[in-house]
């Protein structure tokens, strides 16, 4: 059976074939031909195999299934209809079975021939001959004659050749001009008209740090006032509460409670983040709740003093007249943070008594709440770590003048930390406020806290410096260092510590009185069970009695200095319980250094320097040895 092939339109199909980018020219060649058998046109489905080979057919550049080598017949055929001898096929159309794309590299060869095998389906494929040479159309030949560098900038359209405003933003297809299509340094500041690029002209997120060249944006390139704090929303979880849609004002007049809470809710709902309050006075008529994993942050990065109406100040006005309303700020936890703010009650009055308010800051029940770099100017009650569980709390760098209670701790079942606290008359030193605080205020109130760490704390002018007592949850065990109280009526008051043999250990204790209060006692043990171990202490000023211990627990005191006390009293009076008093020093010849009462159980006194003071021993089991008179 003799078969012939007629070649139609191949040259036309190749006129658009160049070595341009693959995304510009499809890798498909249209071919039309005719098949006849014994003088009759074939009709039906034909089985075709195709290859592009060199001039003598010994090298295969491409085949329909990619299997041909050295001009050999491909393994798989392409099924294609033939109608009255005529057929058409798209070479390289991968939508056809057993058809691979035609690579552009085929046409880097100067002589390419087209080879076909055909079968009518009832016989083996037959090679049609001769191979047909692929040719170009006349104008396409010019591309091969264009030398490298022949098209330069002078042959291209320049901005000077374009009519003014002929190329505008509406005239450019969206996305047609990208950074990948621009030559390096093609667009510079000098090439842009003044005001040509504005925020309104830029797509959202179109300008990122990755899209800018190193050093592309400098302070000199930014107009004065072009970028202000109110225009910045920091990424990576930062929200500026003054920005839209929140719009906090910070002007001391507008109520910013809803705006700030909305920003906090957004951060919390996103899994956490930082809500930033720029400099300003933020009036809060109600209260704020800081969600879990969220931080409310102002500008301060250290504890401040006298900073109300400076920096980031929260003006608390809600809840006046009651202590039972919602706290001003609740750290809902876990991992909620208050950082870098001043809290000021502008409507508080310097009376005795002052106006009650609810807690200023409260841990809401989650662990790992943090309060740092905060000034509490004049809250009635400062920080509540007691009402709800508050394990692993961190309170540090807090200054202020809480009027009734500074910090209260309870339900802390994993080590909490309180560090670098300074409570002093930062708001008011009037005689009315001093009298109220000296008679009523407690700067630190410890209930159940497991191995609380307390260090570098100070308070001035309070009724009690630190109080240790039991709640229904238990009492405190912990370690304290660098504890300082001045002008307090009672420095440390103990009725209970943890009952499991753990105790409260204090290193470097200083207690003095400057005339405040009526008792003037350094350490007071009241009825209950407490264990206290003090290593290194100093008692001075107008203290009447440095230590009065009427508790059934154990007091251990070593390395203490007693500078002054009332001659009619004793420096140390052990009324009940147990005591170990060793290595202490007493100022010259004031009177009785130590009195051991009949209600004591066991007391050991040794290696003390009495310096002319006496020891009164009435206890049933008292050992006194090696004390220097």
């Amino acid at each position: 059976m003799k078969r012939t092939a007629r070649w139609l339109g191949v040259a036309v199909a190749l006129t658009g074939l160049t070595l341009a980018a693959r995304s510009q020219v499809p890798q498909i060649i249209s071919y039309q031909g005719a098949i006849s058998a014994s003088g009759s046109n074939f009709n039906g489905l034909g089985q075709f195999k195709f290859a592009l080979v060199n001039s003598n057919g010994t090298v295969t550049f491409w085949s329909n299934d990619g299997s041909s080598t050295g001009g050999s017949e491909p393994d798989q055929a392409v099924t294609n209809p033939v109608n009255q001898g005529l057929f058409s096929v798209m070479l390289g159309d991968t939508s056809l079975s057993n058809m691979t794309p035609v690579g552009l590299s085929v046409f880097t060869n100067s002589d390419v021939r087209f080879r076909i095998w055909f079968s009518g389906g009832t016989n083996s494929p037959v090679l049609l001959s001769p191979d047909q040479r692929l040719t170009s159309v006349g104008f396409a030949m010019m591309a091969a004659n264009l030398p490298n560098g022949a098209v330069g900038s002078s042959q291209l359209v320049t901005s000077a050749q374009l009519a003014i405003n002929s190329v505008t933003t509406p005239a450019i297809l969206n996305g047609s001009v990208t950074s990948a299509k621009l030559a390096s340094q093609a667009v510079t500041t000098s090439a842009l008209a003044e005001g040509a690029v504005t925020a309104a002209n830029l797509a959202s997120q179109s300008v990122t740090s990755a899209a800018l060249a190193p050093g592309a944006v400098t302070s000199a390139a930014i107009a004065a006032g072009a970028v202000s704090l109110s225009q910045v929303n920091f990424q990576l979880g930062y929200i500026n509460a003054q920005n839209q849609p929140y719009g906090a004002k910070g002007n001391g007049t507008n109520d910013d409670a809803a705006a700030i809470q909305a920003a906090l809710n957004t951060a919390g709902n996103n899994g956490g983040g930082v809500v930033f309050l720029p400099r300003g006075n933020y009036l809060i008529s109600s209260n704020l709740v800081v969600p879990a994993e969220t931080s409310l942050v102002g500008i301060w990065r250290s504890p401040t003093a006298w900073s109300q109406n400076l920096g980031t100040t929260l003006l608390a006005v809600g809840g006046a007249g009651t202590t039972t309303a919602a706290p001003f700020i609740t750290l809902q936890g876990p991992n909620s943070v208050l950082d870098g703010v001043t809290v000021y009650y502008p409507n508080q009055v310097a009376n005795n008594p002052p106006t009650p308010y609810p807690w200023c800051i409260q841990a809401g029940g989650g662990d790992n709440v943090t309060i740092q770099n905060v000034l509490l100017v004049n809250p009635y009650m400062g920080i509540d770590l007691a009402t709800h569980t508050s394990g692993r709390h961190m309170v540090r760098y807090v200054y202020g003048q809480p009027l009734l209670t500074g910090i209260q701790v309870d339900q802390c079942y994993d080590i909490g930390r309180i560090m670098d606290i300074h409570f002093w008359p930062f708001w008011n030193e009037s005689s009315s406020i001093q009298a109220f605080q000296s008679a009523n205020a407690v700067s630190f109130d410890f209930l159940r806290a497991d191995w609380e760490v307390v260090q570098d704390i100070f308070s001035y002018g309070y009724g009690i410096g630190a109080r240790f007592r039991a709640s229904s949850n238990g009492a405190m065990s912990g370690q304290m260092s660098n504890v300082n109280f001045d002008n307090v009526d009672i420095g440390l008051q103990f009725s209970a510590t943890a009952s499991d043999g753990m105790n409260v250990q204090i290193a470097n204790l200083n207690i003095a009185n400057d005339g405040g209060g009526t008792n003037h006692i350094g350490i007071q043990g009241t009825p209950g069970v407490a264990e206290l171990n003090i290593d290194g202490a100093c008692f001075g000023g107008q203290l009447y009695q440095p230590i009065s211990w009427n508790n059934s627990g154990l007091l251990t005191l070593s390395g203490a200095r007693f500078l002054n006390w009332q001659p009619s009293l004793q420096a140390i009076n052990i009324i009940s319980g147990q005591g170990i008093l060793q290595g202490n020093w007493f100022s010259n010849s004031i009177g009785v250094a130590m009195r051991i009462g009949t209600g004591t159980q066991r007391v050991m006194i040794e290696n003390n320097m009495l310096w002319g003071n006496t020891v009164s021993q009435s206890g049933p089991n008292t050992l006194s040895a090696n004390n220097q008179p």
Side-chain angles (χ1 to χ4, degrees), residues 167-178 181:
V167 179
T168 62
T169 302
I172 299 174
L173 183 64
N174 187 31
S176 62
V177 178
T178 64
K181 296 177 182 178

Side-chain angles (χ1 to χ4, degrees), residues 556-570:
T556 300
L557 177 68
S558 62
R561 293 170 58 86
F562 294 85
L563 305 181
N564 193 29
W565 66 92
Q566 284 280 46
S568 60
L569 298 172
Q570 309 86 27

Side-chain angles (χ1 to χ4, degrees), residues 267-442:
N269 292 336
N270 289 337
V274 173
V275 173
F276 175 60
L277 299 179
R279 180 179 58 83
N281 297 318
Y282 297 86
L283 180 66
I284 310 297
S285 64
S286 52
N287 48 66
L288 299 173
V289 176
V290 181
E293 329 300 339
T294 302
S295 300
L296 180 60
V297 176
I299 69 165
W300 301 120
R301 291 298 176 267
S302 64
T304 60
W306 312 109
S307 62
Q308 54 267 36
N309 302 314
L310 301 173
T312 301
T313 299
L314 305 181
L315 303 176
V317 297
T322 179
T323 61
T324 59
F328 176 57
I329 297 175
T330 299
L331 299 176
Q332 198 57 56
N335 306 317
S336 54
V337 176
L338 180 67
D339 184 8
V341 302
T342 295
V343 180
Y344 175 47
Y345 290 73
N347 299 330
Q348 184 56 272
V349 293
N351 295 338
N352 184 6
T355 303
Y357 281 87
W359 283 104
C360 180
I361 305 170
Q362 184 180 83
D367 290 342
N368 294 87
V369 300
T370 295
I371 304 164
Q372 61 185 11
N373 301 319
V374 170
L375 173 66
L376 302 178
V377 179
N378 58 344
Y380 190 71
M381 300 188 297
I383 299 174
D384 175 19
L385 303 172
T387 302
H388 306 285
T389 56
S390 59
R392 296 185 300 278
H393 54 250
M394 170 69 80
V395 181
R396 59 182 178 182
Y397 309 132
V398 174
Y399 286 14
Q401 188 181 3
L403 302 180
L404 181 67
T405 307
I407 299 175
Q408 188 177 78
V409 181
D410 193 7
Q411 303 188 74
C412 178
Y413 304 111
D414 196 354
I415 302 171
R417 291 163 176 81
I418 298 175
M419 305 173 175
D420 296 288
I421 312 298
H422 197 100
F423 291 151
W424 192 83
F426 289 110
W427 172 60
N428 192 284
E429 295 184 80
S430 69
S431 58
S432 296
I433 291 298
Q434 287 187 20
F436 173 80
Q437 288 198 271
S438 183
N440 301 281
V442 178

Side-chain angles (χ1 to χ4, degrees), residues 520-545:
H520 295 213
I521 295 175
I523 299 175
Q524 183 183 59
T526 60
V529 182
E531 293 192 7
L532 172 62
N533 182 10
I534 300 175
D535 184 7
C538 184
F539 302 89
Q542 299 180 39
L543 288 175
Y544 296 163
Q545 190 163 57

